Amino acid sequence: MTTVTIGVLSIVLFFVLALIGVKICYAMLASGIVGLLFISGAKGTISVVSTALFSMISSYDYCVLPMFILMATIITETGMGTSLYTSCRSWLGHFKGGLCIATIIACAVFAAVTAFPWASIMAVGAIALPEMSRYGYDKKMALGSIAAGSELGDLIPPSSMFIIYGMMTSTSIGSLLIAGIVPGLLMAGLYVIVIALWCKVKPDAGPRGPKTTAKEKLIALKEVWPILVVVAFVMGGILIGICTPTEAGALGAVLAFFVACVQKRMNFKIFKNILIASANMIGMIYMVISCAMLMKQMLALSGLTFAMSDAVLGLALPNGVLMVIILIVYIILGMFFDATSMILLTVGIFLPIVQQCGFSALWFGVIMVRMGDIGGLTPPMGMTAFFLKGLAKRPLAEVFKGVTPFLAADFVGLALLMFFPAICEWLPGVLGYTVI
């Protein structure tokens, strides 16, 4: 049995384990170890396993993820983001569909600060849904705007998806975070267009809310200054180049802690909960990434990634056709796996093919994150849709109907990113990052 065959059988084993309900990290760990035992024997397996786990935990560059997780936990546990939606509503609520637009902006900012989309669904959605219901908004449009807005957090820094992708591919995390800014603004604009068209076709879908005075708008801004300060320091530090992403994450965590203390939101019980929740999240994510790195090394040793790359390129298909095939694979995977699992499982297989087609790892990182977001909204197992269903206590079918117009906008945005890679690569290039 060749090593390539062992690699293929290991992937089959992974899918079998995942489909029978074994957790993704354990499925990757088991399939990786089994493959390594057949390829390298017991001694080689022990060496690879110990190296993969130690290099993941000991690398300074990988401290960026725990820093942002700590910052996110401080913000969510202390309730610093609860006034974010109220502030956006004061500025935008008097427009047609204004509450949905406010929801998208609030979800995007909150998800960006916390680095996790589900956090914005729970924090902003819990406030926005009753408010939109009170003003008679179309339920499907309300649900769709919350889901779409939360997904923007994967594009706007600090994005946990970009950090994980950078860790898996050795791509500059700073360049990845910056590469997501313009696509994130593009998608926010497309979502606003969806809401405007929805209200145009169905005028009673998003009634105008009451107007607010300039004084009320300023007061509303005053309530969200902690979030704005943290965003300004974290994003500003990365953009200007005065600190690395790891340092920016540490600075954000310290600032969030300081602001929470100033606002008297911090006490010993909350501090204890923050430490426990952060440790649980960091441990879980590091376990998943370590297992994925192990499986990635097993596939590299088997030669499967190179064999697949040579076989696909040997078909002599146009680059565009190859990318469409890869995107179709991601759409199918997105129906059953969450975004993190998709990236961890497939990046080692598809990235070599994409790079040999002449595309950059930076551009492909943005594409992968977008496909993960689309998967989160796609039936039958869209994780974002399930989170929203649990919060809204609405039928899953209604949630999927609500996100469908926003999914259409996602595919329009994806097409623009495919045809114009500069949307992702321009800003990192301007700021001095190498685009590879």
Side-chain angles (χ1 to χ4, degrees):
M1 187 163 54
T2 65
T3 56
V4 173
T5 304
I6 293 171
V8 172
L9 292 176
S10 296
I11 292 178
V12 172
L13 174 62
F14 165 79
F15 278 107
V16 170
L17 292 173
L19 290 174
I20 63 175
V22 177
K23 290 184 177 180
I24 296 295
C25 63
Y26 299 139
M28 287 190 290
L29 180 65
S31 55
I33 289 177
V34 169
L36 284 170
L37 285 171
F38 280 97
I39 295 170
S40 304
K43 267 191 168 182
T45 301
I46 293 172
S47 175
V48 172
V49 171
S50 59
T51 302
L53 296 179
F54 181 75
S55 63
M56 176 62 58
I57 296 170
S58 62
S59 173
Y60 169 78
D61 293 334
Y62 296 163
C63 289
V64 59
L65 192 57
M67 292 298 102
F68 281 123
I69 289 174
L70 179 59
M71 181 184 74
T73 310
I74 292 171
I75 291 172
T76 52
E77 290 288 335
T78 57
M80 288 167 56
T82 53
S83 57
L84 189 59
Y85 172 76
T86 307
S87 179
C88 292
R89 184 196 62 188
S90 299
W91 284 80
L92 301 167
H94 61 283
F95 292 109
K96 275 276 189 181
L99 294 184
C100 283
I101 297 173
T103 299
I104 285 177
I105 295 174
C107 280
V109 173
F110 193 84
V113 173
T114 59
F116 295 97
W118 51 262
S120 67
I121 292 178
M122 304 307 291
V124 178
I127 303 170
L129 271 176
E131 192 72 8
M132 286 190 278
S133 178
R134 184 162 70 92
Y135 283 100
Y137 269 60
D138 184 286
K139 286 184 173 61
K140 291 189 287 292
M141 186 171 75
L143 293 168
S145 63
I146 295 172
S150 67
E151 297 292 350
L152 289 176
D154 279 339
L155 287 174
I156 302 171
S159 161
S160 60
M161 290 295 98
F162 281 138
I163 294 171
I164 291 171
Y165 176 86
M167 293 166 70
M168 290 293 295
T169 62
S170 299
T171 306
S172 166
I173 292 175
S175 64
L176 285 165
L177 295 177
I178 292 170
I181 293 175
V182 176
L185 296 175
L186 170 66
M187 291 313 306
L190 289 174
Y191 292 155
V192 170
I193 291 173
V194 167
I195 293 169
L197 292 175
W198 200 322
C199 293
K200 186 77 173 176
V201 174
K202 192 177 177 184
D204 60 342
R208 295 178 186 272
K211 286 189 176 182
T212 55
T213 64
K215 182 179 179 181
E216 289 172 327
K217 286 182 171 66
L218 292 175
I219 292 173
L221 279 182
K222 183 182 176 182
E223 295 295 321
V224 297
W225 72 264
I227 294 286
L228 298 179
V229 167
V230 174
V231 170
F233 272 90
V234 172
M235 292 184 62
I238 296 173
L239 286 171
I240 298 171
I242 60 175
C243 58
T244 65
T246 302
E247 293 165 346
L251 177 63
V254 171
L255 277 174
F257 179 81
F258 176 75
V259 169
C261 290
V262 170
Q263 292 190 318
K264 298 181 179 179
R265 296 174 181 265
M266 184 68 69
N267 57 44
F268 179 77
K269 183 180 179 181
I270 292 175
F271 183 66
K272 179 183 175 183
N273 290 340
I274 288 170
L275 294 180
I276 293 172
S278 299
N280 287 337
M281 180 67 72
I282 292 166
M284 179 190 71
I285 293 178
Y286 265 53
M287 180 66 183
V288 173
I289 296 175
S290 298
C291 294
M293 292 288 281
L294 177 65
M295 188 170 180
K296 180 185 173 185
Q297 290 193 30
M298 182 275 294
L299 292 175
L301 288 172
S302 73
L304 177 61
T305 53
F306 303 107
M308 285 186 64
S309 179
D310 292 340
V312 171
L313 293 174
L315 297 175
L317 295 173
N319 291 346
V321 174
L322 283 176
M323 284 307 305
V324 169
I325 293 172
I326 290 174
L327 295 183
I328 290 173
V329 171
Y330 276 125
I331 290 172
I332 295 171
L333 288 175
M335 294 178 180
F336 305 99
F337 294 97
D338 62 276
T340 304
S341 300
M342 283 172 54
I343 291 176
L344 295 175
L345 176 64
T346 62
V347 67
I349 298 173
F350 288 135
L351 182 58
I353 298 173
V354 170
Q355 288 182 310
Q356 289 195 46
C357 288
F359 298 106
S360 69
L362 192 67
W363 172 81
F364 188 58
V366 177
I367 295 296
M368 284 196 76
V369 168
R370 288 306 300 140
M371 294 311 299
D373 291 340
I374 289 171
L377 302 177
T378 306
M381 297 293 291
M383 298 301 293
T384 303
F386 270 92
F387 267 117
L388 191 53
K389 170 189 176 292
L391 174 69
K393 302 294 189 293
R394 305 294 302 179
L396 188 61
E398 187 175 358
V399 176
F400 281 127
K401 286 179 182 178
V403 302
T404 299
F406 295 95
L407 268 177
D410 281 333
F411 282 109
V412 171
L414 185 64
L416 291 173
L417 294 177
M418 291 281 292
F419 285 107
F420 305 103
I423 295 174
C424 312
E425 299 170 347
W426 170 76
L427 189 55
V430 168
L431 294 175
Y433 286 92
T434 303
V435 178
I436 55 173

